[in-house]
Amino acid sequence: MKFETAAGSNPIDRQRVVGQPLDRIDGPLKTTGTATYAYEWHAEVSDLAYGQIVGAAIAKGRIAAMDLSQARAAPGVITIVTADTAPKLGKGERNNARLLGGPEIEHYHQAVALVVAETFEQARAAAELVKIDYQRQPGSFDLEAVKDSAKKPEKIVSGEPDSAVGDFDSAFASAAVQLDATYRTPDQSHAMMEPHASMARWDDDRLTLWTSNQMIAWGAKDLAETLGMDVENVRLISPYVGGGFGGKLFIRADALLAALGARAAGLPVKVALPRPLMMNNTTHRAATIQRIRIGATGAGKIVAIGHDNWSGDLNGNSAESGVIYSRPLYAGANRMSRTRLANLDMPEANAMRAPSDTPGSMAVEIAMDEMAEKLGLDPVDFRVMNDSSVDPEQPERPYSQRHLKECLQQGAQRFGWAKRTAKPAACREGDWLIGMGMAGAFRDGPVTQSAARVRLDAQGRLSVETDMTDIGTGSYTIIGQTAAEMLGVPLERVSVKLGDSSYPVSSGSGGQWGANSSTSGVYAACVQLREQIARKLGFDPARAVFENGEVLQDGKRATLAEAAADATLEAEDSIEFGDLNKRYRISTFGAHFVEVAVHAATAEVRVRRMLAVCSAGRILNPKTARSQVIGAMTMGVGAALMEELSVDTRYGLYINHDLAGYEVPVHADIPHQEVVFLDESDALSSPMKAKGVGELGICGVSAAVANAIYNATGVRIRDYPITLDKLLAQMPVA
């Protein structure tokens, strides 16, 4: 089905099911422990074996020798897979051959062997007996040290690496008020609850892989290309994903080595990555250095914006570029942005929740506050003054909707921003310094092709099948709501099946495109099913009304069950958006407001209140959408105050590679969180008129916290995370 923005009557607009705050249909399974995650498919296999990955103990160099004799002789060991014993691996689009290292080593904890044994304990014990002699080579592990050698990358997440509009240099040099500041964001881990885990079984030349993956079709294709197989012979199953945040977009070492181990052992094999390997072996968000220059008139109108971004990655592969955040958000006739990428011999960097936009917002939204202070303007007023009705760098590509100003103004009113004391360090409650901060928020909400299959049985029940994944986001529920709305039945009459490559290919979960695209695919399939049902019952498909399990037209009615009485009805279709993303910029906007208390003597930071106001099209389920936003806000607090993968620049590893050393927020760190969605729908975005909120919710949060801390203390920190030592170094003696 080709989506046309001028489509007529749309059953979704009734919003009897869609748009309602319904409970998640997968909730009972998860709260009772009966949802089956990747490592838990015990009933599907017999004679199961366990694999333990051995990670490289150096960051760069070669394996000179590997002695497997003691490991092979250990109790219960079935086989050991190494680069020498594995079949030749194809690279595919992502060079997945590097998931099994040797003899060359590219990064610390790169997988170099898989020990397969009868029990997990035996595999783990035997893995400790693998003896490896390394030839260590000098490596590049410090972004600051190699910043000047960074080069322009071939591509970034969105748009070109560099951009220029007008004459930035002249406009900035002649601006009445100038800001020139540099900000730093650290490497960050996805730190999802469920580890990367897979279980593989071979049936002759057919592979079934139960895994934890966000993008089923991508994963099946990648694995097939890596193993030199036809993709039709690879089946990926991932109905429940215990957190991904971008870290499970692609297959990782657990998936590949489970498949290789099962082939070598002649038995099903399961593999889970221990936490240290999750942080050093899988992907992470790369650190950035960002220089931001803003020039404005004395009245506060921005005339020049410049943004330079440096990051690093393994083999100079992927740039984390904050410039994609500054380009579309605030007005300014003269603009410049540059992205530079350095080679680091560190674990691969890749997508993490709102890639590039998150670190970009962490810098840009502080810079906007700093500029507002120079101008003597309120931070909200300064942003509203420099809002833009068009993309400042692509004015020929209009926004489908842009309600940034409304988010800022409504947020300020709801949060009580007018009560804020503008002078820093001027508000105190006993030993606590009190401050308020805010930030704008932006994230694109693109759409992509997505398919689904729907069935109607003789009991009038619906089932939906699509390889869409639920990574804790509520996909099961909103997909069920879409089918229920389209066919006029209650949600409990819909069965939803997800995360299986034998189902129609969906958009998958990522990039904030999942909810809007996948439900649109279900919409398309339901349109086809409605037509079948109407014709079967003798109705005009264009005029038939579906409600309460019945079809009505001109006083005549029949039940859905009657339509499928003699045979189950089935329809499959996909939504295709053509050049929609080129003609319009489908984007989401928001505003974050935060109140903090900072202890005057210890610099302890307590976040006391948080508010997010979001403009994200039609909200398909306010309850699950709110859950997405408060989770993103929590991650934003973590990024502001504690999250940092600390690099050992001598040996090229992240030394805090577990959840004891890599700190994330806990319940005691997070206060009441309020989320407001603007009452809107975006008819240009999709037949669902929705967008997405899962990544918008994190953009700007960290800067709002940083700005609140400055308002409380008068101390401006431009190097995340904002830890006690950085604050204490600048705070006056209490």
Side-chain angles (χ1 to χ4, degrees):
M1 175 182 181
K2 180 69 176 295
F3 172 57
E4 299 292 345
T5 57
S9 177
N10 185 340
I12 296 297
D13 291 338
R14 298 179 304 179
Q15 290 194 254
R16 297 173 182 174
V17 187
V18 168
Q20 301 306 309
L22 303 181
D23 291 345
R24 288 170 55 153
I25 60 178
D26 54 318
L29 297 176
K30 292 180 176 178
T31 54
T32 58
T34 51
T36 310
Y37 289 89
Y39 205 70
E40 300 173 338
W41 290 87
H42 309 119
E44 299 296 318
V45 297
S46 58
D47 299 323
L48 179 68
Y50 294 79
Q52 179 78 3
I53 289 177
V54 178
I58 62 171
K60 186 175 177 63
R62 291 178 55 86
I63 295 176
M66 183 182 294
D67 182 357
L68 303 176
S69 58
Q70 292 185 55
R72 291 189 191 280
V77 171
I78 299 169
T79 189
I80 301 177
V81 176
T82 68
D84 289 336
T85 63
K88 181 176 176 58
L89 301 176
K91 292 185 177 181
E93 292 184 10
R94 294 188 45 75
N95 193 13
N96 287 320
R98 68 169 51 154
L99 296 178
L100 177 58
E104 300 295 329
I105 300 300
E106 292 188 312
H107 64 85
Y108 186 80
H109 270 173
Q110 183 177 17
V112 296
L114 178 77
V115 178
V116 180
E118 295 173 1
T119 69
F120 166 72
E121 290 79 10
Q122 289 171 335
R124 182 177 60 183
E128 296 291 330
L129 300 177
V130 174
K131 305 300 181 185
I132 304 176
D133 292 329
Y134 296 99
Q135 294 176 342
R136 191 190 303 271
Q137 297 173 3
S140 176
F141 311 128
D142 186 350
L143 177 60
E144 293 279 357
V146 299
K147 170 176 171 283
D148 293 339
S149 66
K151 299 178 181 179
K152 179 181 175 181
E154 293 183 4
K155 61 181 181 179
I156 58 176
V157 171
S158 175
E160 295 298 318
D162 294 0
S163 68
V165 176
D167 187 344
F168 167 77
D169 289 334
S170 296
F172 181 74
S174 61
V177 182
Q178 299 173 340
L179 171 76
D180 186 344
T182 298
Y183 307 86
R184 289 170 172 81
T185 66
D187 295 291
Q188 296 172 349
S189 172
H190 300 90
M192 69 285 287
M193 185 178 296
E194 181 201 23
H196 293 257
S198 297
M199 184 174 75
R201 183 186 71 201
W202 290 88
D203 298 291
D204 297 325
D205 62 345
R206 300 183 65 84
L207 171 65
T208 301
L209 186 79
W210 293 267
T211 189
S212 187
N213 188 278
Q214 297 175 226
M215 304 289 294
I216 298 300
W218 289 7
K221 181 176 181 290
D222 284 352
L223 193 55
E225 291 179 349
T226 306
L227 296 174
M229 301 172 57
D230 292 334
V231 70
E232 292 78 13
N233 288 336
V234 176
R235 183 182 179 192
L236 258 62
I237 300 174
S238 187
Y240 301 103
V241 180
F245 312 118
K248 295 176 180 175
L249 287 174
F250 316 105
I251 64 166
R252 305 308 306 166
D254 61 291
L256 175 61
L257 289 178
L260 293 175
R263 176 67 94 184
L267 295 169
V269 169
K270 63 164 57 176
V271 177
L273 298 185
R275 190 64 58 171
L277 262 70
M278 288 178 64
M279 295 193 172
N280 279 299
N281 177 281
T282 69
T283 61
H284 66 283
R285 193 197 300 280
T288 69
I289 302 170
Q290 301 179 57
R291 181 190 182 192
I292 296 178
R293 286 171 285 175
I294 303 176
T297 67
K301 294 294 289 185
I302 295 175
V303 296
I305 299 179
H307 193 167
D308 292 278
N309 187 104
W310 293 266
S311 65
D313 191 15
L314 180 68
N315 298 322
N317 179 50
S318 177
E320 182 80 15
S321 183
V323 304
I324 73 169
Y325 184 87
S326 63
R327 287 175 180 172
L329 195 50
Y330 297 114
N334 303 282
R335 318 173 68 85
M336 177 279 296
S337 68
R338 288 188 293 239
T339 301
R340 295 297 177 263
L341 177 62
N343 178 69
L344 293 176
D345 299 303
M346 296 291 295
E348 178 188 352
N350 213 297
M352 180 171 163
R353 199 171 198 166
S356 292
D357 281 312
T358 293
S361 71
M362 292 170 75
V364 171
E365 295 295 338
I366 292 182
M368 289 294 288
D369 258 43
E370 294 198 61
M371 192 62 176
E373 185 177 45
K374 281 177 172 282
L375 291 160
L377 293 174
D378 178 87
V380 174
D381 293 340
F382 178 53
R383 288 170 171 83
V384 170
M385 180 187 303
N386 289 285
D387 188 21
S388 173
S389 61
V390 298
D391 183 332
E393 296 196 7
Q394 299 182 63
E396 72 285 353
R397 182 185 173 211
Y399 287 104
S400 61
Q401 284 182 339
R402 181 179 169 111
H403 293 151
L404 174 63
K405 180 171 68 174
E406 290 82 352
C407 292
L408 293 167
Q409 293 175 332
Q410 186 174 144
Q413 189 276 325
R414 294 182 71 99
F415 199 71
W417 184 256
K419 298 178 182 178
R420 169 182 176 267
T421 302
K423 182 180 178 181
C427 185
R428 186 163 182 155
E429 295 178 5
D431 292 334
W432 295 90
L433 302 168
I434 311 302
M436 291 187 192
M438 58 78 55
F442 165 86
R443 174 67 175 165
D444 275 329
V447 283
T448 186
Q449 184 172 347
S450 193
R453 181 185 303 123
V454 290
R455 293 190 179 96
L456 174 68
D457 66 20
Q459 286 72 47
R461 294 188 61 88
L462 292 172
S463 64
V464 184
E465 294 177 347
T466 172
D467 80 355
M468 180 61 180
T469 49
D470 192 319
I471 60 175
T473 48
S475 299
Y476 278 100
T477 309
I478 60 172
I479 284 174
Q481 287 177 268
T482 303
E485 190 77 78
M486 289 295 291
L487 275 302
V489 299
L491 182 58
E492 56 267 23
R493 301 288 290 173
V494 182
S495 171
V496 181
K497 300 178 182 179
L498 303 181
D500 190 323
S501 61
S502 67
Y503 300 155
V505 176
S506 74
S507 62
S509 297
Q512 198 170 266
W513 61 63
N516 197 15
S517 300
S518 66
T519 53
S520 293
V522 175
Y523 171 95
C526 288
V527 168
Q528 298 293 331
L529 185 58
R530 281 167 59 100
E531 292 181 358
Q532 283 190 47
I533 294 169
R535 291 194 178 97
K536 186 83 176 286
L537 296 173
F539 292 103
D540 178 359
R543 298 170 55 221
V545 176
F546 289 69
E547 63 182 28
N548 300 322
E550 296 181 325
V551 187
L552 298 84
Q553 182 188 327
D554 299 332
K556 179 184 175 184
R557 65 177 61 214
T559 66
L560 294 179
E562 291 175 59
D566 54 351
T568 296
L569 299 182
E570 178 181 307
E572 181 176 331
D573 203 353
S574 65
I575 192 78
E576 299 178 23
F577 294 93
D579 62 350
L580 179 66
N581 286 325
K582 294 180 179 179
R583 291 189 291 120
Y584 298 97
R585 185 152 198 169
I586 313 294
S587 303
T588 60
F589 299 88
H592 291 281
F593 292 80
V594 173
E595 179 180 289
V596 302
V598 183
H599 197 278
T602 67
E604 175 190 350
V605 177
R606 293 183 181 175
V607 179
R608 305 209 310 185
R609 287 192 298 139
M610 301 182 75
L611 166 68
V613 181
C614 303
S615 169
R618 171 177 286 152
I619 302 303
L620 302 176
N621 183 322
K623 183 176 289 188
T624 59
R626 177 184 181 275
S627 180
Q628 282 299 286
V629 176
I630 64 173
M633 293 163 72
T634 301
M635 289 186 75
V637 172
L641 300 179
M642 58 193 74
E643 291 192 45
E644 176 183 19
L645 282 170
S646 298
V647 183
D648 186 326
T649 56
R650 302 166 301 169
Y651 300 112
L653 73 148
Y654 298 121
I655 56 175
N656 57 333
H657 49 215
D658 56 35
L659 292 182
Y662 184 87
E663 297 182 7
V664 297
V666 297
H667 285 88
D669 297 313
I670 303 301
H672 173 71
Q673 297 165 301
E674 183 181 2
V675 179
V676 175
F677 298 111
L678 297 189
D679 185 9
E680 62 183 21
S681 62
D682 189 339
L684 294 178
S685 75
S686 77
M688 304 301 294
K689 304 182 182 180
K691 293 178 189 173
V693 296
E695 298 188 340
L696 174 69
I698 193 174
C699 295
V701 175
S702 299
V705 174
N707 291 334
I709 291 172
Y710 174 74
N711 181 245
T713 65
V715 176
R716 175 62 73 187
I717 305 296
R718 302 187 182 96
D719 181 8
Y720 291 97
I722 304 172
T723 48
L724 302 185
D725 56 319
K726 296 172 185 176
L727 282 170
L728 286 171
Q730 297 185 49
M731 285 177 64
V733 177

